[in-house]
Amino acid sequence: MGVGLLGGLFDKFKQGLKRTQDLVLAPMGRLLGLRRLDEDQMEELEDLLLQADLGVRAVDQLMARLRFELRGGSEIDPKAVLKDELLKQLRQRPARPFVASGTQVVLLVGVNGVGKTTTLGKLAAHLKARGEGVLVVAGDTFRAAAIDQLERWGERAGVPVIRNQMGGDPAAIAFDGATSAQAKGTPWVLIDTAGRLHTKDHLMKELDKIHRSLQKVIPDAPHRVLLVLDATTGQNGLQQAEVFARTAGVTDLVLTKLDGSAKGGVVVPILDRLKLPIAFVGVGEGVDDLIPFEAEAFVDGLLDA
Amino acid sequence: MFDSLTQKLSQAMKTLRGQSKLTEANLEAVLREVRMALLEADVHVSVARTFLQRVKEKALGAEVMQGLNPAQAFIDIVHRELVEIMGGQAPEHPITFASKPPTVVMMVGLQGAGKTTTCGKLAVFLKKLGRSPLLVPADVYRPAAIEQLHVVAREAGVPSFRTDVKDPVAICAAALAEAKLKGWDTVILDTAGRLHLDEGLMEELVRIKAATSPDEIFFVADAMTGQDAVRSATAFHEKLGITGVVLTKTDGDTRGGAAFSIKQATGQPLKFVGEGEKLEDFQRFHPDRMAQRILGMGDVLSLIEHAKDKIDEKEAEVMARRMAKNQFTLEDMRKQFQQVQKLGSMNKIIGMLPGLGQMKDQLASVATDKRIKHLEAIINSMTPAERANHNLLDGKRKRRIAAGCGRPVSEINQLIKQYVETKKMMGQMNDPKFMARMQRMAKMGGGPNLPF
């Protein structure tokens, strides 16, 4: 990837976060511009950090670090301190690039309405644009018209979509997809799944069945399991991530809807707890609006004036 | 993952034993715990702050009612305030119908909140009220959103509006005209999900509103939403003047603090909750239940109502009488199993109970629906005579039953043991001394959801 492209992505990322900043950063910027903070200002800052959905624990940690730096009346750069602390947590696992080798099976999972199908469409378009073959599997056989939605994305991206009927067995269609891709030597198989709340045991078991049927074709499949998370999600995101990680073997996170006013701060405690990388973020509705995660840009989005 | 608030509060209140008044000093620790609970439940920071101020004022100097310890008294205040702010009693009529049909209900919200599914659920709800709803697809942006609504309408058994028009405002206006013509008395407009920051799309909603003059504008919100709930709800309300809120995906384990934030930010009532994959999984909003949920107190009331709905009262009465006469047979036990199964999956029930949310996984393996089905199958394989008199069950009969129901003899023995114990316990219930003892215990227990 050239420098220009990276720079472009960075801009796009910032653009997505810009609206977020405009809304809340006036007070945040003022506080972070100070060199000493009194108790009232600390409290105000704490409230602002909580509003980013970072969660009580993570915010406590950040505030403790600030208090530590401020001890004995020292002058500090609160923004630099917070940034350092946040980056430490976000960079525990670097993202793994999507490199084709043999047939790579990618499974997308998550609760309802987070943007799995849209993310899959964008990812398919991205890989296709790199000149790599993609097969899309319509594994959401539950939500009304999910298959049609995915087929539109397939047309848009110019990639084939394999499907069976609504209400069909997602494990069976996943099996068919893996078999077909392997026979044809297609490097990427992207599998959509129905949205499911992590509290529904029977639906979580269905994911396990998809795993098993994929492994009948390709023993080390699925190679990537992307948990799609909506940036507007609050602290329940942590429970979601924990359960999906435990039962579906999540390898990467995707954070969607970052073009709204929500900041997706819940990924900080998630990454801290689960040590997973964020593969992509979604910053819009266009086909190009899925971009690699940049920890620094993300933190700047949370804190920049 | 989180300790329940009641547990934490009882911890913080340990020092308060024996004190009869709540004071500034002894309140500080508990207010901190409540704040933490509210924030972990995703209640907005500033909403939580205002709320705690209000609670503090009420609690300060409040006499602790007799029979309550200070912790209980405090929770009682928190709970009552939360219920009060979330709308007190649920409104009698969640939807205002137009005096001259059709009534127009416009659904708005962010992407992925669940608008389309909610349209279907609302249609089913309205159908039960004897209304004839028409679903109108006005989401021309998301691929296949229109097909999705048509499918949902078919599942709900209601018509959906079909047109080749591509402009959402024109679609809604045309649907309204058709409803008048064909006598559909309630029109539900499924608008596209959008960011409140997207001026263009927000303007489109304003134009739809102008063209259809809706009687209700429902903001559909995901119960799992975090702090952003206030911002998005406020933006939609300022632009459109929403008249109510529908909270979706409450069947997960989110504490749903967003409900409180949205209510506070908009002042508009929460009307319905969506709580499952099926179109029937849709209920009126109950402020008291939501309050308990946000505070991490489970949802005892919902469970009670749920149970009331499903258990056949007559059958229960007959059984109670038989129990009283100590005539409880295996046949009665079978009926009990059937009642329990009617209540829905054990998991759903367990999830509703306070304090048991965490134990759900462990319990699931023990108290799965399958096990109850097995027990029922065992009794099903008995003859009527055997069901009436378990003493008939010798080894030969047990082997026959085992072959019939496909369960091992050991399980049949277990069932019989359980039955004998239950019967014995019921025998005690006829003993007046035993009943008096039980009643005394019940009185001492206080509220069912306060384990301290």
Side-chain angles (χ1 to χ4, degrees):
Chain A
M1 236 185 278
V3 176
L5 181 54
L6 248 182
L9 286 175
F10 203 77
D11 286 347
K12 190 127 203 172
F13 199 112
K14 285 203 139 179
Q15 215 174 22
L17 285 164
K18 179 101 180 49
R19 291 163 163 174
T20 310
Q21 297 168 18
D22 292 345
L23 285 164
V24 284
L25 285 180
M28 185 88 104
R30 177 175 54 75
L31 287 169
L32 294 180
L34 300 171
R35 288 297 162 261
R36 284 200 187 91
L37 295 154
D38 63 25
E39 261 319 300
D40 284 350
Q41 287 160 338
M42 285 292 275
E43 203 170 290
E44 202 182 334
L45 183 59
E46 184 183 348
D47 280 5
L48 288 169
L49 290 171
L50 283 166
Q51 281 178 41
D53 288 316
L54 289 163
V56 177
R57 273 185 57 148
V59 171
D60 279 353
Q61 223 171 316
L62 291 171
M63 296 310 287
R65 171 81 190 272
L66 272 182
R67 281 181 210 285
F68 177 77
E69 302 287 342
L70 283 165
R71 75 196 183 284
S74 335
E75 288 206 351
I76 60 160
D77 178 356
K79 191 176 149 191
V81 171
L82 292 176
K83 202 166 158 176
D84 177 64
E85 192 68 32
L86 286 164
L87 282 176
K88 236 189 330 197
Q89 301 195 5
L90 289 171
R91 282 188 171 148
Q92 296 187 35
R93 287 286 183 283
R96 284 189 300 148
F98 275 63
V99 182
S101 96
T103 294
Q104 294 274 312
V105 180
V106 182
L107 195 63
L108 280 90
V109 300
V111 302
N112 316 62
V114 289
K116 281 177 297 303
T117 306
T118 305
T119 299
L120 192 147
K122 291 175 185 174
L123 183 56
H126 172 71
L127 294 170
K128 172 82 181 177
R130 287 202 323 208
E132 292 167 19
V134 179
L135 175 67
V136 166
V137 177
D140 181 356
T141 56
F142 182 80
R143 178 166 59 89
I147 296 175
D148 301 299
Q149 186 183 350
L150 199 63
E151 283 194 325
R152 300 295 155 73
W153 273 107
E155 282 160 28
R156 211 181 278 185
V159 302
V161 176
I162 174 167
R163 57 173 290 175
N164 59 10
Q165 79 288 2
M166 282 307 291
D169 181 1
I173 190 71
F175 179 89
D176 290 350
T179 311
S180 154
Q182 205 181 34
K184 290 182 193 149
T186 309
W188 295 103
V189 183
L190 310 183
I191 305 177
D192 193 21
T193 62
R196 65 202 72 221
L197 289 179
H198 51 291
T199 49
K200 311 249 157 151
D201 283 345
H202 61 292
L203 292 176
M204 295 307 282
K205 281 191 186 121
E206 187 186 88
L207 288 179
D208 197 44
K209 193 177 167 197
I210 295 176
H211 271 76
R212 277 181 279 126
S213 75
L214 285 171
Q215 281 157 4
K216 280 181 201 153
V217 189
I218 305 170
D220 53 348
H223 305 86
R224 305 289 276 263
V225 180
L226 308 185
L227 172 65
V228 183
L229 206 72
D230 179 333
T232 59
T233 309
Q235 297 312 299
N236 190 248
L238 193 50
Q239 268 118 301
Q240 288 174 28
E242 282 193 328
V243 178
F244 273 103
R246 194 170 61 233
T247 59
V250 173
T251 61
D252 305 79
L253 299 182
V254 177
L255 188 61
T256 60
K257 307 187 197 175
L258 213 52
D259 48 332
S261 54
K263 306 195 197 178
V266 71
V267 296
V268 172
I270 291 176
L271 263 53
D272 190 40
R273 170 116 27 140
L274 299 174
K275 318 289 183 218
L276 292 170
I278 299 179
F280 299 103
V281 295
V283 292
E285 286 163 67
V287 85
D288 301 328
D289 292 329
L290 185 74
I291 58 176
F293 175 72
E294 294 281 348
E296 189 146 3
F298 180 74
V299 172
D300 279 345
L302 299 178
L303 304 174
D304 260 13
Chain B
M1 183 173 52
F2 301 120
D3 291 331
S4 79
L5 178 64
T6 32
Q7 274 166 4
K8 279 199 227 158
L9 282 182
S10 61
Q11 221 33 48
M13 291 250 179
K14 272 219 167 110
T15 51
L16 297 193
R17 289 265 158 79
Q19 299 185 28
S20 61
K21 265 196 178 141
L22 298 166
T23 65
E24 184 114 30
N26 64 27
L27 269 181
E28 200 178 314
V30 289
L31 281 169
R32 231 188 349 257
E33 291 295 343
V34 174
R35 173 171 184 268
M36 185 93 106
L38 294 175
L39 292 175
E40 276 170 354
D42 292 317
V43 172
H44 191 267
V45 181
S46 55
V47 172
R49 180 177 301 266
T50 330
F51 175 72
L52 288 173
Q53 194 54 42
R54 195 174 146 153
V55 166
K56 192 174 166 186
E57 278 161 23
K58 296 249 166 171
L60 269 182
E63 286 290 336
V64 174
M65 253 199 304
Q66 206 162 20
L68 291 183
N69 64 39
Q72 289 172 330
F74 182 71
I75 288 222
D76 188 44
I77 292 170
V78 173
H79 181 233
R80 264 188 293 147
E81 284 301 299
L82 209 47
V83 172
E84 180 63 36
I85 292 174
M86 271 195 297
Q89 287 302 305
E92 189 71 26
H93 301 290
I95 297 180
T96 312
F97 294 110
S99 50
K100 197 167 146 254
T103 298
V104 179
V105 182
M106 181 174 168
M107 312 292 267
V108 301
L110 300 175
Q111 288 111 331
K115 281 176 298 302
T116 305
T117 306
T118 302
C119 285
K121 290 183 172 187
L122 184 61
V124 170
F125 179 87
L126 288 167
K127 243 175 64 174
K128 281 190 200 151
L129 291 182
R131 314 277 307 183
S132 355
L134 172 70
L135 293 182
V136 183
D139 180 356
V140 297
Y141 307 101
R142 180 162 59 93
I146 293 179
E147 284 97 308
Q148 187 184 348
L149 190 75
H150 288 320
V151 175
V152 164
R154 202 160 55 237
E155 281 170 12
V158 302
S160 51
F161 183 67
R162 287 176 189 273
T163 173
D164 294 327
V165 179
K166 294 277 184 288
D167 170 51
V169 183
I171 293 173
C172 294
L176 209 58
E178 174 156 306
K180 276 180 196 150
L181 201 69
K182 296 197 174 161
W184 306 113
D185 60 17
T186 316
V187 178
I188 303 172
L189 309 176
D190 181 27
T191 67
R194 64 201 71 213
L195 289 171
H196 48 288
L197 306 170
D198 192 326
E199 299 277 339
L201 279 171
M202 289 301 277
E203 281 313 318
E204 179 190 288
L205 289 180
V206 173
R207 280 186 287 128
I208 293 177
K209 181 183 175 185
T212 59
S213 345
D215 302 276
E216 297 275 12
I217 302 177
F218 288 163
F219 178 64
V220 181
D222 184 328
M224 296 180 280
T225 314
Q227 299 280 319
D228 193 53
V230 162
R231 234 174 270 135
S232 51
T234 309
F236 274 91
H237 188 48
E238 277 172 0
K239 207 82 196 175
L240 295 164
I242 63 168
T243 62
V245 179
V246 182
L247 204 63
T248 62
K249 306 178 208 172
T250 61
D251 45 333
D253 55 0
T254 180
R255 300 256 293 276
F260 188 46
S261 302
I262 294 170
K263 165 74 197 173
Q264 275 292 73
T266 64
Q268 295 307 303
L270 290 137
K271 301 227 164 165
F272 297 99
V273 291
E275 49 180 17
E277 309 266 347
K278 296 196 203 77
L279 290 181
E280 288 76 26
D281 296 329
F282 189 67
Q283 290 200 21
R284 305 265 306 270
F285 176 81
H286 293 276
D288 44 351
R289 295 176 197 169
M290 202 66 212
Q292 295 192 11
R293 180 174 181 147
I294 290 174
L295 293 172
M297 291 160 74
D299 208 347
V300 194
L301 292 167
S302 277
L303 177 65
I304 294 168
E305 185 163 295
H306 204 61
K308 263 201 220 144
D309 263 8
K310 300 278 169 76
I311 288 191
D312 186 331
E313 293 208 5
K314 235 188 219 153
E315 218 164 79
E317 229 181 83
V318 170
M319 204 182 292
R321 237 177 298 145
R322 293 178 62 84
M323 282 182 188
K325 290 188 198 151
N326 203 10
Q327 290 172 337
F328 187 70
T329 66
L330 279 163
E331 177 64 28
D332 295 320
M333 195 156 183
R334 187 175 74 113
K335 278 187 193 143
Q336 268 194 345
F337 289 148
Q338 286 165 344
Q339 296 277 27
V340 169
Q341 285 180 58
K342 264 196 246 170
L343 275 177
S345 79
M346 286 296 267
N347 255 332
K348 196 165 175 182
I349 297 173
I350 291 165
M352 284 180 190
L353 291 171
L356 289 186
Q358 332 293 331
M359 292 164 59
K360 220 165 139 175
D361 287 346
Q362 296 131 326
L363 280 172
S365 56
V366 188
T368 48
D369 297 352
K370 243 191 207 139
R371 203 171 132 68
I372 292 186
K373 272 201 188 111
H374 290 166
L375 294 174
E376 196 195 339
I378 293 173
I379 304 183
N380 282 344
S381 297
M382 296 177 183
T383 65
E386 286 162 352
R387 287 180 210 172
N389 178 8
H390 71 282
N391 291 320
L392 288 175
L393 293 167
D394 56 15
K396 199 176 154 202
R397 282 176 189 257
K398 281 180 194 166
R399 277 194 298 279
R400 189 206 78 235
I401 293 165
C405 64
R407 305 307 306 168
V409 171
S410 61
E411 233 171 75
I412 301 174
N413 285 331
Q414 253 173 35
L415 172 88
I416 295 171
K417 204 172 142 202
Q418 214 178 340
Y419 161 72
V420 172
E421 270 166 23
T422 312
K423 193 173 155 84
K424 203 168 121 199
M425 207 179 76
M426 285 170 182
Q428 285 177 333
M429 275 163 63
N430 291 328
D431 179 352
K433 265 190 242 154
F434 176 81
M435 284 315 282
R437 204 162 63 230
M438 288 301 285
Q439 271 160 9
R440 264 202 310 279
M441 274 167 66
K443 260 187 209 143
M444 272 161 45
N449 33 21
L450 299 172
F452 49 81

